[in-house]
Amino acid sequence: MTDGSKGGMIASRLRNYFLTGLIICAPVAITVWLVRSFIEWADSWVKPYLPSFYNPDNYLPVAIPGFGLLVAIVVITLVGFLTANLVGRTIVNFGESLLNRTPLVRTIYKSLKQIFQTVLQDQSSSFKTAGLIEYPSPGLWSLVFIATDAKGEIAAKFDERGLDMVAVFLPPTPLPTAGFLLFVPREKIVPLQMSAEDAAKLLISGGLVAPDYKPLANAPPRAVVQEPA
């Protein structure tokens, strides 16, 4: 074996070792960075509003990361507990009545509250199902998250035309934080068995990370199950 072939083998092994280490270290490093960024973001919002006596940063030599996030979780849980009883519900209703009387603020508040109620409801199927639609042209398919059946005036306009339409969210790759709201005929949607989390992984990875697939014996469900009123 010549010196050149030996050098090539060593370089090839070193490259494989580096790629193996990168596959292991990169996801860990990115996960740690994302978690740290989220904790620091939560702390930056909560800690400035804490009384100085309750803020450990004022009397400890080092800052405690995540203390603001912990306080936020406790406060949110406490608000939920208080809202479950009559006195707390009365206070919350009074605060909402003030917000509903404030111009501009009431529009933002009502919209955000409706979004959170729709997404976080246990019975809601919104954004929990992924599907495929032909977009942006026939023969080209895009991955979407199925939101809900068309409602209100939009549903009435579609009903006049005999259309059964479904609202879907079309996110971009690799950051599915923004996208397009599309209304698609129900029969044009191909529901997928994969979870919304697996669909998000597929989007973020640019199609590289595909979830395992086990065919179901039964026929696929409808694209959207009508939510109870």
Side-chain angles (χ1 to χ4, degrees):
M1 183 178 295
T2 63
D3 293 340
S5 61
K6 288 183 178 179
M9 290 181 60
I10 294 174
S12 177
R13 288 184 179 180
L14 290 176
R15 180 179 63 104
N16 292 336
Y17 293 155
F18 173 78
L19 292 177
T20 302
L22 184 63
I23 292 173
I24 296 174
C25 295
V28 174
I30 294 174
T31 301
V32 171
W33 176 76
L34 290 174
V35 172
R36 179 180 176 182
S37 299
F38 176 76
I39 291 175
E40 291 178 348
W41 173 80
D43 287 347
S44 66
W45 272 92
V46 177
K47 284 186 176 181
Y49 297 98
L50 292 176
S52 58
F53 177 78
Y54 295 103
N55 191 345
D57 293 350
N58 294 329
Y59 49 85
L60 290 180
V62 294
I64 300 180
F67 183 78
L69 178 61
L70 177 62
V71 171
I73 293 174
V74 172
V75 170
I76 292 173
T77 305
L78 183 61
V79 170
F81 169 75
L82 294 176
T83 307
N85 60 63
L86 180 60
V87 177
R89 196 179 307 117
T90 303
I91 296 175
V92 171
N93 290 338
F94 175 73
E96 287 187 340
S97 65
L98 294 179
L99 291 175
N100 291 331
R101 295 173 186 173
T102 306
L104 183 62
V105 174
R106 63 188 177 193
T107 303
I108 300 175
Y109 173 73
K110 286 183 177 180
S111 300
L112 291 175
K113 182 178 180 181
Q114 187 173 6
I115 291 173
F116 275 90
Q117 284 179 334
T118 302
V119 174
L120 297 180
Q121 266 185 336
D122 292 338
Q123 298 86 0
S124 175
S125 59
S126 300
F127 300 106
K128 294 181 180 179
T129 307
L132 295 172
I133 63 171
E134 281 191 294
Y135 183 90
S137 62
L140 301 179
W141 293 84
S142 296
L143 184 64
V144 297
F145 294 99
I146 300 171
T148 183
D149 295 351
K151 297 178 180 179
E153 180 182 359
I154 295 178
K157 296 299 182 182
F158 286 141
D159 290 341
E160 293 175 358
R161 293 163 173 76
L163 299 175
D164 183 16
M165 307 294 283
V166 176
V168 300
F169 175 68
L170 174 64
T173 300
L175 298 176
T177 55
F180 301 96
L181 171 65
L182 304 175
F183 290 94
V184 184
R186 190 185 301 275
E187 65 273 10
K188 295 294 183 68
I189 301 175
V190 180
L192 296 177
Q193 179 183 332
M194 70 176 67
S195 65
E197 181 181 2
D198 287 337
K201 293 178 184 178
L202 185 63
L203 281 168
I204 294 173
S205 67
L208 296 177
V209 180
D212 296 332
Y213 173 63
K214 296 180 180 179
L216 295 177
N218 299 328
R222 284 166 57 91
V224 172
V225 178
Q226 186 70 39
E227 300 174 9

